């Protein structure tokens, strides 16, 4: 079998079909996403861009199974995530997905090291401390292992969040405006680090951003306007 034929039959990392999200508001029903369709191939880097309120963060939350659609399907690495119950989706995220949030989402009562160890401990990894220590060193925080989030700068907190997302070596990585809370210089350093780690790990990266210069670093970009793919 030739390589082209094998590749043609390789399953998509992400397959989205007819994905819609509607919510009720004071005026009736509001459609946030309108029947979105796209696929992402393994190890591809994809940027989702659009203005504030366009629906791009809602889309990312649906891709991760953090919210449920009104209609449509999301298949991650061959698994229809909305055919699973909430516990099943949580297990899938633990096994296959890293997520980097704009607001870092670090646990305040845990040190940097403990935050990065957490996903490894949840899956029962015996080498959690060693792996987390090595990853924090990789992102330049070897001297900050015992610091709590409140004693870290915004850029340091986002690097801890990157380390936590990458340390389990997930096949899928989602990032929602990862530089939105950072100044320009710090944000540039974080983005460089994220793409560098992603190249090393060979994971599939889906990045939500309003910054076209960040989007341009991805292999492909899709644009959302008023809940529709443009």
């Amino acid at each position: 079998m030739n390589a082209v034929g094998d590749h043609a039959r390789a399953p998509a990392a992400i397959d989205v079909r007819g994905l819609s999200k509607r919510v009720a508001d004071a005026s009736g029903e509001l459609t946030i996403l309108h029947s979105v369709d796209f696929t992402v191939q393994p190890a591809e880097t994809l940027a989702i861009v659009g203005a504030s309120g366009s629906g791009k963060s809602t889309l990312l939350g649906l891709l991760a199974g953090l919210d449920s659609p009104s209609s449509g399907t999301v298949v991650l690495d061959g698994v229809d995530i909305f055919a699973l119950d909430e516990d099943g989706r949580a297990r899938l995220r633990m096994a296959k997905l890293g997520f980097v949030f704009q607001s870092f989402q670090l646990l305040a009562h845990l040190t940097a090291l403990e935050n990065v160890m957490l996903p490894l401990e949840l899956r029962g990894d015996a080498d959690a401390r060693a792996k987390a220590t090595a990853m924090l060193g990789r992102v330049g925080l070897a001297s900050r292992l015992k610091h709590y989030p409140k004693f870290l700068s915004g850029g340091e907190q986002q690097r801890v969040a990157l380390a936590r997302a990458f340390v389990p070596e997930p096949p899928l990585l989602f990032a929602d405006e990862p530089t939105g809370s950072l100044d320009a210089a710090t944000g540039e350093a974080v983005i460089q680090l994220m793409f560098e780690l992603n190249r090393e790990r060979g994971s599939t990266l889906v990045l939500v951003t309003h910054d076209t210069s960040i989007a341009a670093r991805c292999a492909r970009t899709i644009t959302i306007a008023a809940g529709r793919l443009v």
Side-chain angles (χ1 to χ4, degrees):
M1 189 68 66
N2 63 48
V4 173
D6 288 343
H7 179 71
R9 276 186 284 276
I14 303 169
D15 190 9
V16 178
R17 291 287 173 262
L19 196 66
S20 297
K21 180 66 177 180
R22 296 179 294 275
V23 297
D25 66 6
S27 61
E29 190 175 69
L30 174 67
T31 300
I32 300 174
L33 288 175
H34 299 259
S35 194
V36 171
D37 296 278
F38 64 93
T39 60
V40 187
Q41 299 306 317
E44 186 176 8
T45 54
L46 173 73
I48 301 173
V49 301
S52 295
S54 60
K56 57 188 187 296
S57 290
T58 297
L59 173 57
L60 196 68
L62 290 170
L63 296 184
L66 298 172
D67 193 8
S68 296
S70 301
S71 59
T73 61
V74 174
V75 178
L76 296 184
D77 204 19
V79 179
D80 181 349
I81 64 173
F82 296 113
L84 305 173
D85 62 16
E86 190 171 332
D87 288 342
R89 290 195 295 274
R91 287 192 295 270
L92 181 139
R93 283 193 295 270
M94 191 183 307
K96 296 182 180 292
L97 181 62
F99 206 116
V100 181
F101 298 89
Q102 175 179 340
S103 55
F104 320 135
Q105 297 288 341
L106 300 178
L107 297 178
H109 64 285
L110 299 182
T111 64
L113 178 60
E114 290 165 343
N115 267 283
V116 178
M117 287 173 61
L118 186 59
L120 298 174
E121 290 180 323
L122 288 173
R123 72 179 188 188
D125 196 313
D127 299 323
R129 180 173 293 273
K131 289 180 178 179
T133 299
M135 180 56 74
L136 283 165
R138 177 70 186 76
V139 301
L141 293 176
S143 64
R144 312 288 273 172
L145 303 182
K146 297 181 180 180
H147 288 70
Y148 290 93
K150 67 180 180 180
F151 298 115
L152 300 173
S153 70
E156 288 172 333
Q157 289 185 60
Q158 192 59 295
R159 281 188 280 160
V160 174
L162 281 178
R164 182 182 60 188
F166 276 103
V167 74
E169 299 190 2
L172 301 167
L173 182 76
F174 294 163
D176 188 6
E177 299 280 11
T179 63
S181 299
L182 307 176
D183 63 75
T186 304
E188 171 64 20
V190 165
I191 285 294
Q192 284 191 12
L193 178 61
M194 185 173 68
F195 278 98
E196 188 175 323
L197 288 170
N198 196 66
R199 283 192 298 272
E200 290 176 6
R201 298 301 191 275
S203 52
T204 303
L205 171 65
V206 178
L207 170 69
V208 162
T209 183
H210 65 275
D211 188 326
T212 55
S213 66
I214 294 174
R217 300 188 188 193
C218 292
R220 184 161 62 103
T221 299
I222 61 175
T223 302
I224 295 186
R228 301 180 188 273
L229 288 191
V230 177

